[in-house]
Amino acid sequence: MPGQKFGPAWFPGLIAIGLAICGALLVRAGLREHAPLFAMPQWMQRQRPRRAVATVLAGLVAYILLADALGFHITGVLILAVWMRALGASWRLTVAVSILSTLVIHLAFYKVLRVPLPWGVLERWAF
Amino acid sequence: MGVLAQAFALVFDPYVLWVILASAAFGLFVGAVPGLTATMATALLVPVTFFMPPVPAIASIVTATAMAIFAGDIPSCLLRMPGTPASAAYTDEAYALTKKGQGELALGAGLVFSVIGGLFGTAVLIAAAPALAEVALKFSSFEYFWLVVLGLFSAVFLAHANPLKGIVSLLFGLLVSAIGLDNPAGFPRFTFGNAELAGGFTLIPIMIGMFAVSEIIRNIGSIDEPWEMAQTKIGNVFRGMWTLTKRYPVQTLRGSVLGTAIGALPGAGADIAAWMSYAMSKRFSKEPEKFGTGHIEGIIEAGASNNSALAGAWIPALVFGIPGDSITAIVIGVLYIKGLNPGPTIFMNNAPQIYAIFLVFILANLLMLPLGVAAIKGAKQMLRAPREVLMPVILLFCVVGSFAINNSIFGVVLMLAFGLVAYVMEENGFPVAPAILGMVLGAMLEENFISSMIKADGRIFAFFERPIAGSLGILTLTVASVPLLRRLYRAAR
């Protein structure tokens, strides 16, 4: 910024210098210890946790993509059901809990706290 | 009407009392279930408190966190798993006691000395915060600059084993805080022409991501490891407590004092307080050889310590707007939203609300006695809550909570992204607390730095010319040299 000695670039500039120095030091420390370039956490070698974590992350991405179109209620019930099945809950428990919790969140957030959760395709039947 | 009378009226209101009771139950549950932490409880409460008046909003966080830190001791005794990281220091000790058939004693000591520590920390908070505010009224941008730097440095250099990784985490947090228009020049940075980015990142979805989502990912990664509960009979948990109080008064006091101090130190909270107190207890004990074999002494000292740290963390948070731990890092955001802007003037402008918060601290710690007993009795039921149900429901709650702050799906994107970042960071030994501190304090740091530099016309020495600023500056540089001194000390031996 002209006429200003200490403009908006100062602060990010200092951060960048700091990060560069620390990065170099970390690389040096890593090379000294002959640390592997990449290491997997232990659970990734076991099938059940690996599938569970993947499902959880995929569910979150699906919510971000679908919530506006499908609406909170359908998306909520669906991803809860998928998550619970992936973690090993029984079908009966899955159906009951996913519908009930979505309903409770609807009551708490939509009704009491007035958060405009999207209705999506259910717009016509909004309550 | 006097300020105190107003404060009483604010707290002893049926709605507020109901909120306190509900948050207490919530806090006890979250604390007792391994993998759900006190910080996570706070992050989850924020979207709900968003819509409450200031006093109940803050009261719910104060109560829930106090309860959670105590309840973290319960699974230590029963499962050999800490309920919150603050209990990790003495989990093995507590479990060893249970194995010796003294689970009742360990649980009772966890409860009673949590209450004592919590009340001690509260007393210090009530006495110290207003006094400190008197001094802070005279502070200029130079003093604030040093205070912020001191806070950031102590988070990095005192609290963590690897300062280099701490610095990287801190710089990452500062970088995130630099995004958007909200800087002294009002100039858009790192926005790529995107309107969401121009507004800067909202911290609450980020915190839900970093404290809740990352924890859930970690938990699910161990979903195939079953929890095994130790069999133990629990009768009257208060039996033998009076004897312990008379036998270990010094330990109780030392734990409470150290805990409050660590809490008040930015960047270090209840978990580090417990580790340090446990180590100190062992060091000064007359029978250090008994530590680790089921000896109650360390549990008393560290149990008092972690609860006193909670209240200690509020001292810098209220007086300077500098969080003392990751819980108050979230709380500061809530204070701003509620119009209770932290800073030395808060004790004049919002005196009734502040005294109401102090009252809630006392009330929450006293309530811990009866509710704690109930939680211990109901522990087996709570720990039987199936994780395959709990984790998905909490996750959906996180999603809705992140959405609710700005009514925007961008909040959910932030939550997911930062949840993953925090998970990867912690798996690789990068502490998350400095990043959070950087995000919360970044704007304050830049603002005070730039305005000091403009006032001083670029002369670095101006930062040391005012007496308090100079002392703070030297203290800060001393803290920064701690790792170096440590290395020299080791080399000299």
Side-chain angles (χ1 to χ4, degrees):
Chain A
M1 201 163 274
Q4 175 76 295
K5 229 179 192 170
F6 304 103
W10 246 85
F11 188 59
L14 288 179
I15 298 173
I17 294 171
L19 278 174
I21 296 174
C22 290
L25 289 174
L26 277 177
V27 168
R28 200 186 65 156
L31 287 177
R32 260 199 203 157
E33 288 167 20
H34 300 286
L37 269 183
F38 202 77
M40 286 287 176
Q42 227 202 338
W43 55 262
M44 282 221 185
Q45 279 140 31
R46 303 197 303 267
Q47 200 204 347
R48 200 170 141 222
R50 194 173 52 210
R51 214 179 42 200
V53 173
T55 317
V56 162
L57 297 180
L60 286 174
V61 174
Y63 184 93
I64 292 169
L65 296 177
L66 296 177
D68 269 334
L70 277 183
F72 162 74
H73 304 80
I74 295 179
T75 330
V77 171
L78 279 181
I79 59 170
L80 267 185
V82 171
W83 283 340
M84 285 173 63
R85 285 299 296 166
L87 297 185
S90 70
W91 268 114
R92 263 227 317 256
L93 200 62
T94 301
V95 172
V97 173
S98 53
I99 292 176
L100 213 68
S101 341
T102 308
L103 208 63
V104 168
I105 289 178
H106 165 82
L107 288 177
F109 279 87
Y110 190 84
K111 288 284 176 192
V112 180
L113 304 177
R114 307 207 169 277
V115 175
L117 296 170
W119 280 97
V121 288
L122 295 181
E123 192 72 61
R124 255 190 298 162
W125 295 281
F127 63 96
Chain B
M1 201 161 54
V3 171
L4 208 57
Q6 284 179 18
F8 265 98
L10 280 171
V11 175
F12 290 92
D13 165 284
Y15 173 69
V16 177
L17 291 175
W18 184 88
V19 167
I20 289 179
L21 212 59
S23 333
F26 174 69
L28 286 168
F29 178 75
V30 169
V33 176
L36 311 182
T37 68
T39 319
M40 185 170 167
T42 315
L44 291 178
L45 273 174
V46 173
V48 181
T49 58
F50 209 60
F51 303 89
M52 288 181 188
V55 171
I58 304 294
S60 72
I61 296 176
V62 169
T63 316
T65 50
M67 299 290 170
I69 294 292
F70 148 67
D73 297 355
I74 298 176
S76 293
C77 295
L78 298 178
L79 297 175
R80 201 181 187 173
M81 282 171 143
T84 71
S87 304
Y90 48 95
T91 292
D92 286 342
E93 191 86 75
Y95 190 73
L97 271 164
T98 308
K99 281 276 137 185
K100 275 164 70 179
Q102 293 180 312
E104 186 184 290
L105 190 74
L107 287 166
L111 174 57
V112 169
F113 293 94
S114 286
V115 173
I116 296 177
L119 287 173
F120 183 93
T122 306
V124 175
L125 166 66
I126 295 174
L132 209 53
E134 292 279 324
V135 183
L137 279 175
K138 301 192 190 77
F139 283 9
S140 70
S141 65
F142 292 104
E143 282 83 7
Y144 271 105
F145 168 76
W146 281 121
L147 269 178
V148 175
V149 178
L150 179 63
L152 297 174
F153 275 18
S154 49
V156 169
F157 293 109
L158 299 183
H160 201 262
N162 188 340
L164 194 54
K165 289 185 173 177
I167 298 175
V168 173
S169 169
L170 170 64
L171 290 172
F172 168 68
L174 290 174
L175 186 62
V176 170
S177 83
I179 295 170
L181 277 167
D182 191 21
N183 57 64
F187 190 83
R189 293 191 299 209
F190 305 114
T191 59
F192 304 99
N194 181 316
E196 297 275 15
L197 289 173
F201 284 170
T202 315
L203 285 183
I204 290 164
I206 292 183
M207 302 223 186
I208 294 178
M210 295 187 88
F211 292 124
V213 175
S214 68
E215 205 65 56
I216 291 173
I217 297 177
R218 189 164 312 118
N219 219 290
I220 287 172
S222 66
I223 193 83
D224 53 349
E225 294 162 14
W227 294 351
E228 277 167 45
M229 215 172 322
Q231 293 305 317
T232 172
K233 263 225 328 252
I234 294 156
N236 178 9
V237 290
F238 293 121
R239 197 186 315 147
M241 287 306 131
W242 184 237
T243 330
L244 287 181
T245 319
K246 279 190 298 187
R247 191 156 159 209
Y248 295 118
V250 181
Q251 283 80 348
T252 315
L253 187 66
R254 206 168 47 203
S256 305
V257 172
L258 183 68
T260 314
I262 300 284
L265 204 69
D271 33 350
I272 290 165
W275 283 109
M276 291 185 70
S277 280
Y278 184 79
M280 189 180 254
S281 185
K282 187 170 177 182
R283 171 133 201 193
F284 289 105
S285 171
K286 287 196 196 95
E287 20 190 27
E289 70 283 357
K290 285 195 184 169
F291 276 72
T293 62
H295 185 51
I296 198 82
E297 196 178 341
I299 299 185
I300 289 175
E301 187 156 344
S305 177
N306 58 18
N307 273 75
S308 64
L310 277 183
W314 284 68
I315 300 173
L318 288 177
V319 180
F320 305 116
I322 296 175
D325 61 3
S326 23
I327 294 170
T328 42
I330 306 176
V331 167
I332 285 177
V334 179
L335 287 171
Y336 277 113
I337 293 170
K338 299 298 172 194
L340 297 173
N341 293 8
T345 51
I346 196 174
F347 297 92
M348 293 180 250
N349 301 343
N350 305 90
Q353 283 87 348
I354 291 301
Y355 285 97
I357 294 174
F358 290 166
L359 280 177
V360 171
F361 260 105
I362 300 176
L363 191 64
N365 278 295
L366 293 176
L367 260 180
M368 201 189 289
L369 280 174
L371 295 179
V373 173
I376 291 173
K377 300 271 183 205
K380 290 194 177 157
Q381 276 68 39
M382 278 202 281
L383 291 176
R384 225 170 270 148
R387 274 184 291 173
E388 64 270 22
V389 176
L390 213 51
M391 294 301 150
V393 173
I394 293 176
L395 203 51
L396 187 62
F397 193 85
C398 293
V399 168
V400 178
S402 302
F403 174 83
I405 301 299
N406 285 340
N407 294 331
S408 143
I409 201 82
F410 186 63
V412 187
V413 177
L414 278 182
M415 174 199 90
L416 174 59
F418 279 87
L420 280 172
V421 167
Y423 176 78
V424 173
M425 278 172 67
E426 289 203 312
E427 287 296 297
N428 291 292
F430 290 86
V432 170
I436 296 291
L437 218 56
M439 288 177 212
V440 174
L441 293 177
M444 197 172 162
L445 176 68
E446 180 175 16
E447 212 177 278
N448 286 304
F449 176 68
I450 298 291
S451 56
S452 298
M453 282 301 252
I454 290 172
K455 268 190 253 173
D457 203 23
R459 274 183 321 113
I460 294 288
F461 274 106
F463 282 87
F464 295 93
E465 274 165 5
R466 291 166 58 98
I468 299 182
S471 326
L472 284 170
I474 290 168
L475 183 63
T476 309
L477 297 179
T478 315
V479 166
S481 57
V482 161
L484 193 72
L485 293 176
R486 231 183 248 160
R487 194 177 292 177
L488 286 178
Y489 175 74
R490 251 186 246 134
R493 272 206 312 190

